[in-house]
Amino acid sequence: MSQAKSASVLDSRILIPAIGAAFTKLNPRTLARNPVMFVVATVSVLTTVLFLRDVVTGGGNLGFSFQINLWLWFTVLFANFAEGVAEGRGKAQADSLRKARSETQAKLLTNGSTTDYRMVPGTSLKVGDVVLVEAGDIIPSDGEVIEGVASVNEAAITGESAPVIRESGGDRSAVTGGTQVLSDWVRVRITAAAGSTFLDRMISLVEGAERQKTPNEIALNILLAGMTLIFVLATATIPSFAAYAGGSIPVIVLVALFVTLIPTTIGALLSAIGIAGMDRLVRFNVLAMSGRAVEAAGDVDTLLLDKTGTITLGNRQATAFKPVRGVTEQELADAAQLASLADETPEGRSIVVLAKEKYDIRGRDMASLKTSFVPFTAQTRMSGVDLEGSQIRKGAVDAVLASAAGVAQSDVVRELQASADEIAKAGGTPLAVARDGKLLGVIQLKDIVKGGIRERFAELRRMGIRTVMITGDNPMTAAAIAAEAGVDDFLAQATPENKLQLIREEQAKGKLVAMCGDGTNDAPALAQADVGVAMNTGTVAAREAGNMVDLDSDPTKLIEIVEIGKQLLMTRGALTTFSIANDIAKYFAIIPAMFLAFYPQLGVLNIMGLTNPQSAILSAIIFNALIIIALIPLSLKGVKYRAVGAGALLSRNLLIYGLGGIVVPFIGIKAIDVAITALGLV
Amino acid sequence: MTLNGWLQILLFCGIVLALVKPLGAYMTRVFAGERTFLSPVLVPIERGLYALAGTSEREEQRWTSYAFAMLAFNLAGLLLLYGLQRMQGMLPLNPAGMAAVAPELSFNTAVSFVTNTNWQNYGGESTMSYLTQMAGLSVQNFVSAATGMAIAVALIRAFSRASGKALGNFWVDMTRATLYILLPICIVLTLAYVALGVPQTFGPYVTATTLEGAQQTIALGPVASQLAIKMLGTNGGGFFNANSAHPFENPGAISNMLQMVSIFAIGAAFTNVFGRMVGNQRQGWAILAAMGVLFVAGVAVTYWAEASGNPLMHAFGLEGGNMEGKEVRFGIVLSSLFAVITTAASCGAVNAMHGSFTALGGLIPLINMQLGEVIVGGVGAGFYGIVLFIIVAVFVAGLMVGRTPEYLGKKIEAKEMKMAVLAILCLPLAMLVFTAISSVMPSAVASIGTAGPHGFSEILYAYTSAAANNGSAFGGLTGNTPWYNVTLGLGMLMGRFLVILPALAIAGSLIAKKTVPASAGTFPTDGPLFVGLLVGTILIVGGLTFFPALALGPVVEHLAMLAGQTF
């Protein structure tokens, strides 16, 4: 589940409920949340009443007015349908989550006892209660492990079937209700009451039930409402203008013009875009606690990234052998490989791999060589092998030097020291190798920067985002890794205090900061950051402090989160532009048709050559309704984000959605006109 | 169209562009309170005025106090001007013995001059005494222009100041605009006009005997001084009824060029003031470029339409362009150019009768005003007007690059959007609703001069001109009726203050915001892309609203003309 699933929009399990939702959402209270569609519904009611009056009195052009009415209602239904489809995609996920929430029994520990419990329903637990969870039990609610260690299957939430370890103290103490203990036992202090657990929040989030309008959405709604009012003025004044010219315009035609002019396309798709944005995050296994956080992610200026696990692989690896004078690289590699064959640490294995790749030294059978492995201890700070009559040791430079002392090789010592310093300066760790007290050289161990990360940072830079690496390393090492990874800046010897300080400084400059963290000591910084992504493996404190939780606990995801935030805003902007640009063609369809009776000269404006006034008006309103359906997939998938400069991005989108928005309706309306004329609808 | 014609247009554009930087630099210094070459003379006067008013240049106001000061000052001006007109018969400097002006007309005129519109439902030489012209109308010509400039400066500060609450001091900004900018330039211009033959006298009207022996009264007065500020302050209210078509108000080609340049000078320089204050002059040039694109397009259409003339006349063997309603000394090109300038810039002075233009030639002045007078625009007013469109443009563009929209580092959010939409909304409200009522009200329709679509255009033009605070008229419409006096007055008030107040609210909200540093993720607002975006936004958001009205006015009139029908 760590990869975004490609869910087809045309899934009947989503489409059929969405058709139902299209009708239930006609409830005025639901419609009122969306000013543009509310206005469309209101005028549709008006024209329907007028139509019914005409049916009774027998006046008017019933066939035409019936069709307009039909398409007006379709416009509203299509908007509801779009929202229904967006919600439907989340519902499927919510249903599977709900299964995990099924009624559980909890072993509530009584009277401060550590063993006596009575069975109570999981929903009756209060914050502060302590429960015992044993192998096979479902953890009844969110909590913190206060005693014990257990392996827990969190597949219900993360979709990852490999069990994880939860233990008291440290950064892995949080457990989530609905997950199952596989082995051992833990005592858990409940931190969330029924109904407000992580799982509950997750369900309501993916269903979009608690969706609050985000700041940008509110501003956009104001613009759309304003445009709607402007077009109220533009159309409501037409009857007087026509009366001056000695003509009159049927109400149904005015309504048709009005509905096609107001930004119905974006109005209809706006909430679907918002829901789909949250949904995209969920598909990436990231839970945003609010839509505001998703929007803020798109605005991020500075990204704080932990070195270990995000920028580097997390393990140091051997990258070079540096022999002292008089020793060949081959000799050193051979000794180092021998010393490491039985060494199961990642460093040890990387030495074997390097020796094989670079010097083609194959693995050897340890038993046949009659060797015995000398493991690393904190006292010796060395490891190695004893061959027949020969000892090979590798380890910290000073430890190896000490063990080799007494051998008069001060020149060699100096040389080895020098190359060890050089390695340290470049951000690596030197390991010295000696055979029988003779210094052979050093192995260079380095933090390996993840493949492709440099390109990602370059991409972020093009997006206008500054990356800052956070590390506990000393400044010299940090600088070397920072340069290699291509981050813009680094914070060395980081402490929770100076992390927080850094965030505050950036914010004081007006920048938005994103970071991820998992430990309790990350909590203040997570809370201070504008976008704080807590790792699911982290502590309760961290999860509470952040405004997003990454279920996969993969810190590199911050980059995707930023992209999803941007995509959300871009989709809104692009469809708004498209919607407004459409108006030009609609004017050219309806205005000549509207005034033709008393100003036949205006027929010149019928540049699309539409069959007759009725077909022109009908085509425009059909186009206006169908474009909503046509754009549902785009609003759900989102406009493609490319990490190019803002200028290039804007010109591209202006070209597609601005210019496209002007041209497409001319073609679409003409095509519909041809079709309805052929079908004899007008 | 002729090469000579285009060279004259080019010459005009060249002079305006050449003035942008020096004037912009000077104005920036003035509004920042820095020393200028006029300081030795003017600082004592300025200090004296502040002492008299009980204010100080160090005392800064929040947007609410700034707005309150502006409203109080304008209300006082309105009452004073109304009173002056009603009592002019009893007051001195009235050699022609003008009687009190009627109440509705006084209201209309007072509003008109306070709002920098200068719509004139009266004939100056036959209605107003010298005192009313000088102490009333001319004074408002100065201070209404200075009000617009003060608002623009306050709005610029909202962008240029990193964060804070105060926008500056209205009294100080307005005093400086008048003392350092308007007055000195006007003194120079007045002398120039006098040298070019424009009268400047307190003497009574002259009676002459014509060749046929008839007696003719030739109106005179302090024309040059009012002419200077009428143009420089984009007021447009003529001393004479014929405005700048009158030979005493615009004797020839040089005075005509001086007048055209003065209309655009301060408005264009404001973009540079903006650029300088926000620390990047390119930002200002980008705005001016967007204005320039719309302006040149307008000139091209009008000039082409007027030079092409009327095919129905050509059928009679009358070759050439449309000279109806134009002064022979200006000809087609200078009349077309003047018409586009005066409507682009909210001035409203005319040197030809716009109602006599061809349908398409008259369409451009209408559109210029309907776009909200943002093509250079009125002094200050044009700038704060275009900022409203910029807010809408960067909002949509900002979303399209995936960031919360921002302009010059200030985030554009719900509050700014609300205010910008409110301001943009009030123009179609005033223009279309009053036109709609008037076009079906028999008493209002009776005022039109020509039947058919042209008559409709007359009504539409009147309300458009009023709400846009332009003041030019299409001619033909008898505006001096109680209905038009009152509704046009209301249109002017809406078009002025319902734009200024939201603009100040935006300034108040923006100034409190932190400036976000620009990055590669912020789209540049100083390049051609922004210019194109802004032009598109102005045309679509500002223009689409009026498509039906324009179709029923000038567009249908043009199509009818091609079909051989005239009105």
Side-chain angles (χ1 to χ4, degrees), chain A residues 191-220:
Chain A
T191 53
S196 63
T197 64
F198 190 65
L199 205 57
D200 292 318
R201 264 195 290 173
M202 212 169 140
I203 291 170
S204 67
L205 274 171
V206 296
E207 279 192 326
E210 280 179 25
R211 216 173 72 81
Q212 298 281 323
K213 281 192 185 143
T214 56
N216 278 317
E217 206 179 341
I218 293 169
L220 180 56

Tab-separated table of all heavy atoms in Angstrom, chain A residues 191-220:
chain	number	residue	atom	x	y	z
A	191	THR	N	-4.967	6.523	25.622
A	191	THR	CA	-4.794	7.967	25.431
A	191	THR	C	-5.927	8.591	24.627
A	191	THR	O	-5.938	9.785	24.387
A	191	THR	CB	-3.471	8.253	24.716
A	191	THR	OG1	-3.431	7.467	23.521
A	191	THR	CG2	-2.273	7.911	25.585
A	192	ALA	N	-6.862	7.767	24.130
A	192	ALA	CA	-7.965	8.359	23.359
A	192	ALA	C	-9.254	7.651	23.721
A	192	ALA	O	-9.305	6.435	23.824
A	192	ALA	CB	-7.704	8.215	21.862
A	193	ALA	N	-10.307	8.454	23.930
A	193	ALA	CA	-11.606	7.878	24.255
A	193	ALA	C	-12.255	7.348	22.984
A	193	ALA	O	-11.852	7.707	21.879
A	193	ALA	CB	-12.491	8.936	24.897
A	194	ALA	N	-13.246	6.497	23.166
A	194	ALA	CA	-13.934	5.925	22.013
A	194	ALA	C	-14.491	7.047	21.143
A	194	ALA	O	-14.990	8.047	21.651
A	194	ALA	CB	-15.057	5.025	22.496
A	195	GLY	N	-14.386	6.893	19.855
A	195	GLY	CA	-14.924	7.903	18.945
A	195	GLY	C	-13.899	8.927	18.526
A	195	GLY	O	-14.090	9.642	17.553
A	196	SER	N	-12.804	9.033	19.284
A	196	SER	CA	-11.814	10.022	18.881
A	196	SER	C	-10.454	9.360	18.686
A	196	SER	O	-9.420	10.000	18.788
A	196	SER	CB	-11.715	11.136	19.922
A	196	SER	OG	-11.278	10.587	21.139
A	197	THR	N	-10.473	8.075	18.413
A	197	THR	CA	-9.206	7.392	18.212
A	197	THR	C	-8.661	7.702	16.840
A	197	THR	O	-9.346	8.255	15.979
A	197	THR	CB	-9.366	5.870	18.328
A	197	THR	OG1	-10.214	5.453	17.261
A	197	THR	CG2	-9.989	5.475	19.647
A	198	PHE	N	-7.454	7.318	16.676
A	198	PHE	CA	-6.768	7.505	15.414
A	198	PHE	C	-7.579	6.897	14.270
A	198	PHE	O	-7.770	7.498	13.223
A	198	PHE	CB	-5.407	6.829	15.531
A	198	PHE	CG	-4.493	7.123	14.401
A	198	PHE	CD1	-4.033	8.399	14.188
A	198	PHE	CD2	-4.095	6.112	13.547
A	198	PHE	CE1	-3.185	8.670	13.146
A	198	PHE	CE2	-3.255	6.375	12.498
A	198	PHE	CZ	-2.787	7.650	12.295
A	199	LEU	N	-8.093	5.700	14.526
A	199	LEU	CA	-8.846	4.993	13.496
A	199	LEU	C	-10.128	5.760	13.155
A	199	LEU	O	-10.492	5.894	11.993
A	199	LEU	CB	-9.187	3.597	14.016
A	199	LEU	CG	-9.419	2.522	12.975
A	199	LEU	CD1	-8.222	2.388	12.077
A	199	LEU	CD2	-9.690	1.193	13.672
A	200	ASP	N	-10.796	6.280	14.203
A	200	ASP	CA	-12.018	7.049	13.968
A	200	ASP	C	-11.730	8.268	13.115
A	200	ASP	O	-12.444	8.594	12.180
A	200	ASP	CB	-12.610	7.524	15.309
A	200	ASP	CG	-13.133	6.352	16.128
A	200	ASP	OD1	-13.765	5.481	15.523
A	200	ASP	OD2	-12.872	6.325	17.337
A	201	ARG	N	-10.629	8.943	13.481
A	201	ARG	CA	-10.272	10.144	12.731
A	201	ARG	C	-9.964	9.792	11.288
A	201	ARG	O	-10.323	10.489	10.349
A	201	ARG	CB	-9.060	10.819	13.373
A	201	ARG	CG	-9.468	11.934	14.310
A	201	ARG	CD	-8.297	12.794	14.620
A	201	ARG	NE	-7.338	12.082	15.466
A	201	ARG	CZ	-6.154	12.560	15.779
A	201	ARG	NH1	-5.777	13.730	15.335
A	201	ARG	NH2	-5.332	11.870	16.532
A	202	MET	N	-9.269	8.663	11.129
A	202	MET	CA	-8.884	8.230	9.798
A	202	MET	C	-10.115	7.954	8.950
A	202	MET	O	-10.185	8.352	7.783
A	202	MET	CB	-8.076	6.945	9.944
A	202	MET	CG	-7.031	6.811	8.901
A	202	MET	SD	-5.929	5.468	9.325
A	202	MET	CE	-5.710	4.801	7.712
A	203	ILE	N	-11.104	7.315	9.562
A	203	ILE	CA	-12.318	6.980	8.815
A	203	ILE	C	-13.021	8.257	8.371
A	203	ILE	O	-13.376	8.420	7.210
A	203	ILE	CB	-13.255	6.098	9.681
A	203	ILE	CG1	-12.622	4.721	9.864
A	203	ILE	CG2	-14.627	5.983	9.035
A	203	ILE	CD1	-13.329	3.848	10.878
A	204	SER	N	-13.176	9.194	9.313
A	204	SER	CA	-13.907	10.401	8.928
A	204	SER	C	-13.115	11.209	7.908
A	204	SER	O	-13.680	11.872	7.042
A	204	SER	CB	-14.246	11.239	10.150
A	204	SER	OG	-13.085	11.747	10.720
A	205	LEU	N	-11.786	11.131	7.995
A	205	LEU	CA	-10.970	11.866	7.025
A	205	LEU	C	-11.125	11.297	5.627
A	205	LEU	O	-11.332	12.024	4.663
A	205	LEU	CB	-9.497	11.791	7.432
A	205	LEU	CG	-9.044	12.832	8.421
A	205	LEU	CD1	-7.635	12.518	8.902
A	205	LEU	CD2	-9.067	14.206	7.786
A	206	VAL	N	-11.001	9.985	5.504
A	206	VAL	CA	-11.058	9.428	4.152
A	206	VAL	C	-12.475	9.508	3.584
A	206	VAL	O	-12.658	9.572	2.382
A	206	VAL	CB	-10.541	7.965	4.073
A	206	VAL	CG1	-9.090	7.901	4.421
A	206	VAL	CG2	-11.348	7.035	4.948
A	207	GLU	N	-13.471	9.562	4.453
A	207	GLU	CA	-14.825	9.716	3.945
A	207	GLU	C	-15.123	11.155	3.568
A	207	GLU	O	-16.088	11.442	2.887
A	207	GLU	CB	-15.836	9.278	5.012
A	207	GLU	CG	-16.012	7.791	5.068
A	207	GLU	CD	-17.200	7.412	5.913
A	207	GLU	OE1	-17.476	8.115	6.900
A	207	GLU	OE2	-17.846	6.412	5.583
A	208	GLY	N	-14.282	12.058	4.023
A	208	GLY	CA	-14.509	13.463	3.695
A	208	GLY	C	-15.656	14.042	4.501
A	208	GLY	O	-16.182	15.094	4.182
A	209	ALA	N	-16.068	13.350	5.560
A	209	ALA	CA	-17.237	13.797	6.313
A	209	ALA	C	-16.952	15.085	7.067
A	209	ALA	O	-17.791	15.968	7.159
A	209	ALA	CB	-17.657	12.706	7.293
A	210	GLU	N	-15.733	15.193	7.564
A	210	GLU	CA	-15.432	16.358	8.396
A	210	GLU	C	-14.705	17.427	7.610
A	210	GLU	O	-13.996	18.259	8.170
A	210	GLU	CB	-14.548	15.933	9.576
A	210	GLU	CG	-15.317	15.303	10.680
A	210	GLU	CD	-14.414	14.875	11.804
A	210	GLU	OE1	-13.325	15.461	11.947
A	210	GLU	OE2	-14.792	13.950	12.524
A	211	ARG	N	-14.852	17.371	6.292
A	211	ARG	CA	-14.055	18.279	5.486
A	211	ARG	C	-14.410	19.748	5.775
A	211	ARG	O	-15.548	20.169	5.640
A	211	ARG	CB	-14.281	18.004	4.019
A	211	ARG	CG	-13.057	18.178	3.191
A	211	ARG	CD	-13.335	17.725	1.795
A	211	ARG	NE	-14.191	18.658	1.106
A	211	ARG	CZ	-13.750	19.776	0.557
A	211	ARG	NH1	-12.487	20.077	0.600
A	211	ARG	NH2	-14.573	20.593	-0.058
A	212	GLN	N	-13.413	20.473	6.194
A	212	GLN	CA	-13.591	21.902	6.401
A	212	GLN	C	-13.044	22.590	5.168
A	212	GLN	O	-12.100	22.120	4.574
A	212	GLN	CB	-12.778	22.356	7.617
A	212	GLN	CG	-13.203	21.708	8.903
A	212	GLN	CD	-14.436	22.356	9.464
A	212	GLN	OE1	-14.600	23.554	9.375
A	212	GLN	NE2	-15.328	21.553	10.021
A	213	LYS	N	-13.636	23.736	4.818
A	213	LYS	CA	-13.092	24.465	3.678
A	213	LYS	C	-11.735	25.039	4.070
A	213	LYS	O	-11.561	25.559	5.160
A	213	LYS	CB	-14.044	25.573	3.267
A	213	LYS	CG	-15.195	25.021	2.457
A	213	LYS	CD	-15.974	26.128	1.794
A	213	LYS	CE	-17.185	25.558	1.098
A	213	LYS	NZ	-18.331	26.452	1.205
A	214	THR	N	-10.793	24.943	3.159
A	214	THR	CA	-9.455	25.441	3.438
A	214	THR	C	-9.375	26.924	3.071
A	214	THR	O	-10.214	27.414	2.316
A	214	THR	CB	-8.430	24.655	2.623
A	214	THR	OG1	-8.797	24.763	1.253
A	214	THR	CG2	-8.413	23.199	3.023
A	215	PRO	N	-8.370	27.653	3.583
A	215	PRO	CA	-8.312	29.094	3.344
A	215	PRO	C	-8.362	29.472	1.859
A	215	PRO	O	-9.104	30.369	1.470
A	215	PRO	CB	-6.968	29.498	3.959
A	215	PRO	CG	-6.682	28.464	4.975
A	215	PRO	CD	-7.308	27.199	4.487
A	216	ASN	N	-7.585	28.765	1.048
A	216	ASN	CA	-7.593	29.107	-0.371
A	216	ASN	C	-8.935	28.791	-1.015
A	216	ASN	O	-9.361	29.459	-1.948
A	216	ASN	CB	-6.500	28.336	-1.114
A	216	ASN	CG	-5.164	29.002	-0.959
A	216	ASN	OD1	-5.088	30.223	-1.055
A	216	ASN	ND2	-4.134	28.240	-0.705
A	217	GLU	N	-9.561	27.758	-0.507
A	217	GLU	CA	-10.855	27.381	-1.063
A	217	GLU	C	-11.879	28.462	-0.730
A	217	GLU	O	-12.730	28.801	-1.556
A	217	GLU	CB	-11.258	26.039	-0.456
A	217	GLU	CG	-12.200	25.239	-1.319
A	217	GLU	CD	-12.542	23.909	-0.673
A	217	GLU	OE1	-11.792	23.464	0.222
A	217	GLU	OE2	-13.556	23.331	-1.057
A	218	ILE	N	-11.773	29.010	0.477
A	218	ILE	CA	-12.697	30.070	0.876
A	218	ILE	C	-12.498	31.283	-0.021
A	218	ILE	O	-13.448	31.848	-0.558
A	218	ILE	CB	-12.488	30.446	2.357
A	218	ILE	CG1	-12.896	29.276	3.242
A	218	ILE	CG2	-13.255	31.695	2.723
A	218	ILE	CD1	-12.499	29.416	4.697
A	219	ALA	N	-11.230	31.650	-0.235
A	219	ALA	CA	-10.946	32.808	-1.087
A	219	ALA	C	-11.462	32.557	-2.497
A	219	ALA	O	-12.052	33.442	-3.130
A	219	ALA	CB	-9.451	33.096	-1.099
A	220	LEU	N	-11.264	31.348	-2.992
A	220	LEU	CA	-11.726	31.037	-4.348
A	220	LEU	C	-13.248	31.086	-4.410
A	220	LEU	O	-13.821	31.599	-5.374
A	220	LEU	CB	-11.210	29.651	-4.764
A	220	LEU	CG	-11.611	29.176	-6.160
A	220	LEU	CD1	-11.177	30.194	-7.212
A	220	LEU	CD2	-10.991	27.835	-6.479
